[in-house]
């Protein structure tokens, strides 16, 4: 499963459980008292020191215990998590909110509010539009020695142009090869598919450099074209998190960033790997590195319509948060399909 043996897995699991609950560094003595690990405190300290060297634990102060790192949470989510059952009260609250809305915006807001009250975390819901629109043409042409024009034509007839910075010294042949690769990767593809696609590979280094320069603005254009509603609920729960109470400056900075709708919308969109859970530094924006995002798509029939997510500190109850978000997305899908499918 990984580089952690069974003892280290048990210790890491215990540390995460305790830290999620207490938000305080965890000492080896506490683990000996509360868990049947079959070894003495000195052995646990040695194991914790090894896991710190491996990047799974951090020590905020020299005299303090250890806390999980982003890598530890990722290992927990991928390998150790036992997803909990959703209690009936939470299901009723979510189902009730999903059934009450008489329009998409009110339905999403009611459901996001219900999920926020159940998890005591910030909740966000987004919708996509025109995700099924396809690309009719895409090409890049020189404008200046270090600038190019990206032309994007959609099946609806809409034409979008973007000026992009490109590496110097490219030849006409490089541009031609880049256009061949880009058209092969984009023509007939839906905006939904392109929003998650990796840049194509051409047959020359210069063409690859040009594609690497053009692809990020192309992806940004796709996100702009498909962007719909953005709804947030539960900002007040950020104030209750102990790590943010201890660092008011960080809290204010996070709240400023979370009210930036462009940054938040982009942060909610799964990256190239399509991860439904992003932890700390896995988030593409450095301004989100103190947070984790658990997200899940919802649908109308077979058509992807949006996603719902919870946002909180990396010290999150992943074992309950992941199934709750999935359940909420499924409830939204059922309701939206019933009304609009």
């Amino acid at each position: 499963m990984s580089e952690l043996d069974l003892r280290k897995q048990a210790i890491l699991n215990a540390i995460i459980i305790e830290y999620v609950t207490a938000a305080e560094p965890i000492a080896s003595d506490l683990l000996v008292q509360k868990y049947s690990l079959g070894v003495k405190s000195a052995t646990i300290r040695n194991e914790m020191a090894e896991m710190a060297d491996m990047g799974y634990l951090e020590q905020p102060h020299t005299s303090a215990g250890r806390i999980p790192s982003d890598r530890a949470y990722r290992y927990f989510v991928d390998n150790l998590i036992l997803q909990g059952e959703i209690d009936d009260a939470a299901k009723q609250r979510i189902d009730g909110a999903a059934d009450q809305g008489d329009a998409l915006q009110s339905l999403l807001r009611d459901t996001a509010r219900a999920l926020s009250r159940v998890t005591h975390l910030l909740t966000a819901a987004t919708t996509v539009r025109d995700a099924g629109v396809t690309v009719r043409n895409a090409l890049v042409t020189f404008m200046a020695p270090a600038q190019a024009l990206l032309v994007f034509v959609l099946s609806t007839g809409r034409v979008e142009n973007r000026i992009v910075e490109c590496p110097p010294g490219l030849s006409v042949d490089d541009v031609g090869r880049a256009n061949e690769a880009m058209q092969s990767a984009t023509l007939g593809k839906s905006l939904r598919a392109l929003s998650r696609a990796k840049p194509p590979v051409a047959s020359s280094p210069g063409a690859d450099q040009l594609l690497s320069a053009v692809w990020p603005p192309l992806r940004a254009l796709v996100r702009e074209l498909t962007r719909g509603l953005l709804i947030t609920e539960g900002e007040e729960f950020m104030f209750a998190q102990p790590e943010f109470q201890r660092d008011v400056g960080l809290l204010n900075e996070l709240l400023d960033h979370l009210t930036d709708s462009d940054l938040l919308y982009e942060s909610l969109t799964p990256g190239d790997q399509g991860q439904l859970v992003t932890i700390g530094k896995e988030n593409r924006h450095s301004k989100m590195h103190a947070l984790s995002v658990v997200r899940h798509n919802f649908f109308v029939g077979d058509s992807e319509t949006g996603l719902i997510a919870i946002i909180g500190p990396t010290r999150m109850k992943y074992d309950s948060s992941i199934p709750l978000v999935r359940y909420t997305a499924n409830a939204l899908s059922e309701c939206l399909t019933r009304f609009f499918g």
Side-chain angles (χ1 to χ4, degrees), residues 124 230 232 257-258 260-268 311:
L230 172 62
T232 58
H257 297 328
L258 292 173
D260 181 340
S261 60
D262 291 335
L263 184 148
L264 181 56
Y265 195 97
E266 187 174 347
S267 297
L268 293 174
I311 303 165

Side-chain angles (χ1 to χ4, degrees), residues 78-307:
D78 289 346
N79 300 303
L80 303 179
I81 193 170
L82 296 174
Q83 295 187 19
E85 294 290 330
I86 304 172
D87 64 61
D88 290 340
K91 288 181 179 179
Q92 290 174 5
R93 190 162 196 169
I94 291 168
D95 290 341
D99 282 337
Q100 286 178 0
D102 55 2
L104 178 60
Q105 186 165 352
S106 61
L107 183 144
L108 288 181
R109 185 168 297 283
D110 290 345
T111 305
R113 183 180 299 118
L115 181 60
S116 179
R117 299 300 182 266
V118 169
T119 60
H120 291 179
L121 293 170
L122 175 67
T123 303
T126 68
T127 62
V128 295
R129 59 182 174 87
D130 296 335
V133 171
T134 58
V135 178
R136 181 179 295 169
N137 200 3
L139 60 90
V140 61
T141 183
F142 273 138
M143 288 184 60
Q147 283 188 328
L149 179 68
L150 171 64
V151 182
F152 204 58
V153 184
L154 302 179
S155 58
T156 58
R158 181 170 179 173
V159 179
E160 292 285 342
N161 301 314
R162 294 292 186 275
I163 297 174
V164 298
E165 301 297 322
C166 61
L170 297 177
S171 67
V172 173
D173 184 60
D174 290 331
V175 177
R177 292 175 184 270
N179 275 322
E180 287 178 6
M182 184 165 63
Q183 292 189 359
S184 176
T186 60
L187 264 58
K189 299 292 195 306
S190 69
L191 295 180
R192 179 189 296 109
L194 284 182
S195 69
R196 296 166 186 168
K198 295 181 179 180
V201 177
S203 55
S204 72
D208 284 335
Q209 290 179 356
L210 180 56
L211 287 169
S212 295
V214 167
W215 206 253
L218 186 148
R219 289 267 303 268
L221 172 59
V222 168
R223 287 193 295 270
E224 176 186 326
L225 292 172
T226 58
R227 177 170 172 168
L229 295 170
L230 172 62
I231 292 169
T232 58
E233 287 287 340
E235 290 87 346
E236 66 274 15
F237 290 118
M238 298 294 284
F239 292 95
Q241 304 301 330
E243 49 270 85
F244 301 147
Q245 289 180 343
R246 290 192 289 263
D247 191 341
V248 178
L250 174 61
L251 174 61
N252 290 332
E253 184 178 343
L254 286 174
L255 290 175
D256 285 342
H257 297 328
L258 292 173
T259 55
D260 181 340
S261 60
D262 291 335
L263 184 148
L264 181 56
Y265 195 97
E266 187 174 347
S267 297
L268 293 174
T269 305
D272 293 338
Q273 304 302 317
Q275 288 180 319
L276 296 181
V277 181
T278 47
I279 300 167
K281 294 181 178 63
E282 294 175 355
N283 291 299
R284 62 171 62 93
H285 288 291
S286 60
K287 298 170 183 178
M288 297 284 289
H289 284 178
L291 301 170
S292 286
V293 182
V294 178
R295 57 177 75 74
H296 208 288
N297 297 105
F298 54 85
F299 299 80
V300 173
D302 295 328
S303 299
E304 181 182 328
T305 306
L307 64 81

Side-chain angles (χ1 to χ4, degrees), residues 24-38:
E24 294 288 347
I26 307 303
S28 58
D29 291 341
L30 175 66
L31 300 181
V32 170
Q33 293 169 11
K34 296 189 67 173
Y35 295 87
S36 300
L37 297 172

